[in-house]
């Protein structure tokens, strides 16, 4: 209200109230009770990306977040899976270029526009399916983020990456 009063402009259009974060035993985190966790220590132990993903994936409206070592470790494992898969993809892009797979057939137009590598040739059925799943996931995640449904966006990314992409890359 002070921002509006002094600047005559609306300082923000939306306010997001997040879930209450609780300890693994269900207690409300509180500095005075000594039940709070040190976010710096957790980031050092599990990684910042894992911490963010863990909190976002459990941020369903109207529910509390029960933060535990198991959930943070699971989020860290997911972040590691993304890192390893990315290394796999970038390490194999040159191989794809050598066999002549066309970028135009690899992905939806909005994905192709942001691709760092060009390629040419035919694409396999499984790769076409994977890129179709990616395009669907991107649309779903963008819609979830626009509607402040962070847990749905995180779940969509998780389902695609762990269920579709990582399964496909590990088998072939």
């Amino acid at each position: 209200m002070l921002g509006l009063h002094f600047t005559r402009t609306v300082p923000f259009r939306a306010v997001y109230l997040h879930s209450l974060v609780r300890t693994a035993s269900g207690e409300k985190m509180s500095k005075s009770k000594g039940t709070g966790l040190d976010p710096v220590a957790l980031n050092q132990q599990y990684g910042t990306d894992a911490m963010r993903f863990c909190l976002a994936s459990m941020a369903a409206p109207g529910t509390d977040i029960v933060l535990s070592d198991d959930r943070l470790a699971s989020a860290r494992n997911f972040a590691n899976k993304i890192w390893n898969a990315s290394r796999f993809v970038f390490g194999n892009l040159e191989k794809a270029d050598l066999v002549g797979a066309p970028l135009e057939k690899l992905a939806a137009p909005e994905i192709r526009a942001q691709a760092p590598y060009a390629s040419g040739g035919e694409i396999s059925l499984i790769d076409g399916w994977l890129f179709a799943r990616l395009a669907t996931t991107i649309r779903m995640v963008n819609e979830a983020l626009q509607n402040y449904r962070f847990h749905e966006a995180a779940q969509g990314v998780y389902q695609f990456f762990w269920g579709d992409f990582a399964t496909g890359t590990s088998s072939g």
Side-chain angles (χ1 to χ4, degrees):
M1 295 304 291
L2 287 175
L4 181 60
H5 175 74
F6 288 117
T7 65
R8 305 278 187 239
T9 60
V10 177
F12 42 82
R13 297 275 176 214
V15 175
Y16 180 79
L17 301 176
H18 61 78
S19 306
L20 180 67
V21 181
R22 296 186 177 274
T23 65
S25 61
E27 293 179 80
K28 178 183 172 195
M29 288 196 186
S30 166
K31 280 193 239 178
S32 61
K33 290 182 181 178
T35 56
L37 299 175
D38 180 5
V40 173
L42 290 175
N43 283 339
Q44 289 172 344
Q45 183 176 359
Y46 296 105
T48 305
D49 292 331
M51 182 80 154
R52 289 178 182 145
F53 183 80
C54 183
L55 292 171
S57 68
M58 295 188 300
T63 63
D64 291 345
I65 294 173
V66 178
L67 198 57
S68 68
D69 285 325
D70 289 344
R71 290 183 184 207
L72 288 165
S74 177
R76 181 194 57 215
N77 293 344
F78 181 59
N80 287 340
K81 187 72 155 180
I82 293 172
W83 173 255
N84 290 332
S86 298
R87 288 181 41 217
F88 174 82
V89 167
F90 288 122
N92 285 285
L93 279 174
E94 289 180 14
K95 293 178 188 174
D97 194 35
L98 292 175
V99 297
L103 184 60
E104 293 74 33
K105 293 189 178 187
L106 289 177
E110 64 270 16
I111 297 168
R112 287 195 308 265
Q114 296 178 18
Y117 296 95
S119 190
E122 285 298 312
I123 183 171
S124 69
L125 182 61
I126 188 71
D127 289 339
W129 172 83
L130 185 62
F131 278 104
R133 289 284 302 127
L134 176 60
T136 299
T137 300
I138 289 170
R139 281 191 295 275
M140 186 278 302
V141 167
N142 284 337
E143 182 181 325
L145 291 175
Q146 289 170 353
N147 292 306
Y148 305 101
R149 310 278 303 173
F150 302 114
H151 66 293
E152 290 177 8
Q155 189 63 32
V157 169
Y158 182 90
Q159 290 296 330
F160 171 78
F161 219 90
W162 206 276
D164 297 329
F165 183 77
T167 302
T169 58
S170 65
S171 64

